[in-house]
Amino acid sequence: MPNSNAKLHSNHRGGREASRRELVSRSLQSAQHCLENQDFGTAYAHYLLVLNLAPELKTTVKETFQFTLFKWAEELDSLSRIQDLFNCYEQALELYPNDEVICNSMGEHLFRMGFRDEAAGYFHKAVKLNPDFADAKENFYRVANWLVERWHFVMLNDAKRNLTYLRAIEKAVHSGSKSVLDIGAGTGILSMFAKKAGASFVYACELSKTMYELARDVVAANNMEREIKLLHLKSLDIEIPKHIPERVSLVVTETVDAGLFGEGIVESLIHAWEHLLLHPR
């Protein structure tokens, strides 16, 4: 009896595998037929089914799937079916999470729709995945020109200003402030000053996705990615111990442009004072 049961189960598994292969084969044929008739939406649905049933075919159908996705996305865009478009890209990135071409295409749609900060994130990921991907690099630099304010470059090249900040941070750290929060980190320069000054723990928050990604690159280029914790958050949203393990003893910030009104920096500083600073000793 045990041998009979084992044989029955084996036949059942074999039957299911044969059915799967048959369904995959038919779906591939249907997808190709739909492409020939420029029915990109149905072709895309067939490829989703194929890739979910037969993930081993990801490499084989990758280029055709990309072509189908992009054509279907163009149609959805022209029909103003924006949510459906984004849903398709999310599905595609679940299947191909490290595909620089899909990331770049998603970024292009976001950029055209005015979501420049979000677009920058996808362009940046595409460049990270493939540093030689010329289209993604061009797109990232283009969107960065929209998002990185010109005054950043002026400030970063202001040696007197930088030296003044460095000395002030060094004085505070040497006086006993060993945990630091940098609000509105930008490129991360103040965070790096704090770490170089000897702070034991340095945390930095930056709301702009583009500036957050830029700060990550700058910090990594200076070999401090393990010493500075960067958060893509508004300072008001920081929670202890969810985001940082403890209250800090020093807050540094330079959000003194129009952000004083537009970004609620006054509220942020009050919040930081009340919830993140140590009580005076």
Side-chain angles (χ1 to χ4, degrees):
M1 285 297 292
N3 288 336
S4 298
N5 288 335
K7 185 175 181 180
L8 182 62
H9 286 304
S10 177
N11 290 338
H12 182 60
R13 287 195 300 270
R16 284 191 301 177
E17 177 60 21
S19 297
R20 184 187 73 91
R21 288 198 300 266
E22 177 65 20
L23 182 55
V24 168
S25 177
R26 289 186 178 183
S27 293
L28 284 172
Q29 292 175 7
S30 297
Q32 188 60 43
H33 179 73
C34 290
L35 286 179
E36 291 170 358
N37 289 286
Q38 297 188 352
D39 182 0
F40 300 114
T42 307
Y44 175 76
H46 280 298
Y47 278 119
L48 282 183
L49 177 61
V50 168
L51 290 168
N52 278 287
L53 287 174
E56 68 273 14
L57 295 178
K58 282 184 179 181
T59 302
T60 304
V61 304
K62 179 179 177 179
E63 289 187 7
T64 310
F65 175 76
Q66 288 175 342
F67 171 81
T68 306
L69 168 66
F70 300 155
K71 286 295 186 181
W72 179 225
E74 288 176 7
E75 280 192 29
L76 292 172
D77 193 8
S78 67
L79 295 170
S80 297
R81 293 171 56 184
I82 306 306
Q83 190 57 56
D84 289 335
L85 184 153
F86 288 150
N87 288 342
C88 287
Y89 273 96
E90 287 175 4
Q91 292 167 338
L93 287 170
E94 285 181 7
L95 293 166
Y96 296 96
N98 296 318
D99 188 288
E100 69 274 18
V101 178
I102 295 177
C103 286
N104 183 64
S105 181
M106 175 66 156
E108 290 175 338
H109 281 287
L110 287 166
F111 184 79
R112 284 195 295 270
M113 294 172 191
F115 301 107
R116 295 192 178 105
D117 205 33
E118 292 82 355
Y122 282 97
F123 293 145
H124 184 264
K125 182 178 179 180
V127 173
K128 281 289 190 181
L129 290 167
N130 182 0
D132 296 324
F133 189 4
D135 287 349
K137 286 198 291 186
E138 181 180 345
N139 284 332
F140 180 68
Y141 295 146
R142 178 177 55 164
V143 75
N145 283 331
W146 284 89
L147 294 171
V148 180
E149 300 289 349
R150 297 295 96 191
W151 49 261
H152 276 287
F153 301 102
V154 176
M155 289 193 307
L156 290 171
N157 286 282
D158 187 340
K160 184 177 180 181
R161 160 200 169 274
N162 294 338
L163 184 59
T164 301
Y165 267 98
L166 175 60
R167 286 174 175 169
I169 291 172
E170 284 179 339
K171 183 178 180 180
V173 172
H174 295 165
S175 297
S177 298
K178 295 299 184 180
S179 57
V180 181
L181 172 65
D182 181 2
I183 296 178
T187 59
I189 187 170
L190 300 186
S191 297
M192 291 187 291
F193 284 171
K195 194 62 194 177
K196 287 182 177 180
S200 302
F201 306 99
V202 180
Y203 313 100
C205 62
E206 174 55 55
L207 184 59
S208 164
K209 178 68 172 175
T210 302
M211 294 308 300
Y212 165 74
E213 295 290 357
L214 179 60
R216 288 182 62 186
D217 286 346
V218 172
V219 168
N222 285 272
N223 299 313
M224 293 187 182
E225 64 270 28
R226 294 185 179 180
E227 300 174 305
I228 298 173
K229 183 176 181 179
L230 285 162
L231 302 166
H232 180 215
L233 284 173
K234 190 175 181 179
S235 59
L236 289 169
D237 295 330
I238 296 176
E239 298 178 17
I240 298 171
K242 181 179 180 181
H243 300 114
I244 63 177
E246 60 184 357
R247 295 183 178 186
V248 300
S249 52
L250 176 67
V251 171
V252 296
T253 187
E254 198 186 9
T255 44
V256 293
D257 66 313
L260 181 64
F261 305 102
E263 296 299 328
I265 188 59
V266 174
E267 290 180 293
S268 297
L269 288 174
I270 291 172
H271 179 273
W273 178 262
E274 292 178 342
H275 297 285
L276 298 175
L277 285 174
L278 287 171
H279 295 297
R281 289 173 290 191

